[in-house]
Structures are given as C-alpha cells and as structure tokens.
Amino acid sequence: MASRSISSRSWTPQQNKLFEQALAHYDKDTPARWESVARAVGGGKSAEEVKRHYEILLEDLRRIETGRVPLPNYRSNGNADEEQRLLSFLRQQ
C-alpha cells in the first residue's frame, strides 16, 4: 500500500459525492458492487479502496449513533438535511 500515490488514498468532495450517488445506485445486492462504485467514483479508485471507504463511513455512523461523536451543529438546514439523509440511507445497508 505504501506504493500508492497520495491522490489515490485521498478523497475529494466531488469523489465523495459520486461515491454517495453510486452507493444509492448500486445496492448491496448488485453483482460486482465495489467495482461498479469504483468506476463511478473514478480518479483511479480501486474496488478495494471504495469498499474500505464504505467501511470507514459505517464505522463513523456507528460512532455517531452511539454518541461517541456528536453530530455537528450546522448553520444551514441544507447540510443538516443532507446529513440525516445519508444517515438514513446507511442504516438501511
């Protein structure tokens, strides 16, 4: 893994948005789900990288739900709505 470039490990806001959209499109029953999500995200992300990103997201969700990480206090309703929508989606996974 040390040979991977920093760009393949970091996620841009655009890639995160594409990742979220791909998760909604390719559900858990989709054959080759992670390969499809990786293609949708682009940027040279591998199936392994997008699956790991998903696992990290689920762990973050578990921490939020157990109160170990408080939800941020958003100033605008738009971000709070987006956060709640994502949390609801991930609970269904």
Side-chain angles (χ1 to χ4, degrees):
M1 183 69 89
S3 64
R4 291 231 185 246
S5 69
I6 290 175
S7 64
S8 70
R9 288 180 287 180
S10 62
W11 288 71
T12 66
Q14 178 65 22
Q15 286 174 319
N16 276 313
K17 188 66 168 177
L18 292 169
F19 173 74
E20 181 182 322
Q21 292 169 347
L23 287 178
H25 185 74
Y26 303 108
D27 68 13
K28 62 184 175 185
D29 297 323
T30 301
R33 179 187 195 190
W34 302 118
E35 290 80 3
S36 298
V37 172
R39 275 193 304 278
V41 170
K45 299 293 186 198
S46 69
E48 180 181 314
E49 286 173 303
V50 296
K51 185 176 181 184
R52 180 68 186 132
H53 196 62
Y54 178 75
E55 290 166 353
I56 291 168
L57 186 60
L58 288 180
E59 181 57 31
D60 287 347
L61 176 62
R62 286 184 199 103
R63 288 181 179 166
I64 290 167
E65 288 183 332
T66 60
R68 291 186 284 164
V69 176
L71 282 173
N73 186 10
Y74 293 113
R75 291 179 188 250
S76 73
N77 233 7
N79 287 338
D81 291 343
E82 181 73 11
E83 178 78 14
Q84 290 305 315
R85 188 189 64 71
L86 180 57
L87 289 172
S88 294
F89 170 77
L90 290 172
R91 285 185 192 111
Q92 296 172 9
Q93 297 297 306

